[in-house]
Amino acid sequence: MNISIRLVRNSASAVICALTLMAGAGSALADSVNTGYFGGVAIMGYDTVAYFTDGKAVKGSEDFSYEWLGTPWHFASKEHKEMFMSEPAKYAPQYGGYCAGEVALHESVTVNVDPEAFKIIDGKLYLIYDEGNAAAFADNADDLVPKGDAKWPIVEAKLAVDVPDWNLINNP
């Protein structure tokens, strides 16, 4: 890879990290949202508020749709849509809805998460590739959440280019 391209990418990552720290973000929210391979809807159309209110994955409806960060989000009810609209950062999944374990352990992404595989840790929603890994993520959250929070700005910077280089993202 050309040295000037590496310097630009490294500088962009450093700026994003610094801005995140200066803002005191306290969460790993994203500017872009994982919509999976098909559909173009956040969390494959599942209601992100329901994870908090119902404690389970609930399919949303196009009837209760709201666009945030350039992505449609579906909700199971008008009430859930309004709750999200008033505080989207409270309900949005960490790491843009990508697999939290993949971000924390490998500084890369797994796009195809299972909406049923989730954990709420310290009031934040984490989506995972599958239910077995969700349990392992929760069991090791004291180690994995800080790692994921530290690695997410780097992964997000890689995703932010117009045409992401998936080999670079998944092979740091």
Side-chain angles (χ1 to χ4, degrees):
M1 177 185 295
N2 181 321
I3 189 73
S4 62
I5 293 172
R6 265 194 235 147
L7 288 172
V8 168
R9 285 186 177 167
N10 289 342
S11 297
S13 294
V15 168
I16 289 169
C17 289
L19 291 173
T20 300
L21 291 172
M22 288 187 322
S27 69
L29 290 175
D31 288 330
S32 62
V33 179
N34 177 12
T35 58
Y37 291 117
F38 307 103
V41 178
I43 316 176
M44 293 181 237
Y46 280 76
D47 179 344
T48 191
V49 174
Y51 290 108
F52 294 90
T53 60
D54 300 4
K56 63 182 180 179
V58 175
K59 193 73 169 168
S61 167
E62 286 184 38
D63 294 338
F64 306 109
S65 185
Y66 176 69
E67 189 164 313
W68 184 62
L69 295 177
T71 304
W73 296 71
H74 292 175
F75 303 93
S77 69
K78 181 180 177 184
E79 177 187 14
H80 283 192
K81 175 184 172 182
E82 290 172 351
M83 290 170 70
F84 183 81
M85 288 170 60
S86 70
E87 294 183 273
K90 176 179 177 179
Y91 298 106
Q94 301 300 291
Y95 316 134
Y98 292 97
C99 175
E102 190 72 16
V103 171
L105 293 170
H106 304 291
E107 195 177 292
S108 62
V109 296
T110 297
V111 173
N112 207 22
V113 296
D114 177 356
E116 303 277 339
F118 73 96
K119 292 296 175 185
I120 295 177
I121 301 166
D122 294 330
K124 297 176 185 174
L125 174 62
Y126 296 87
L127 299 176
I128 315 290
Y129 176 75
D130 63 28
E131 291 185 45
N133 285 317
F137 185 86
D139 289 345
N140 296 289
D142 288 345
D143 180 48
L144 294 177
V145 169
K147 283 182 180 178
D149 290 351
K151 292 177 180 182
W152 175 243
I154 298 162
V155 173
E156 187 174 31
K158 293 176 188 178
L159 290 168
V161 298
D162 288 337
V163 181
D165 180 345
W166 292 102
N167 288 323
L168 177 64
I169 292 168
N170 289 323
N171 298 303

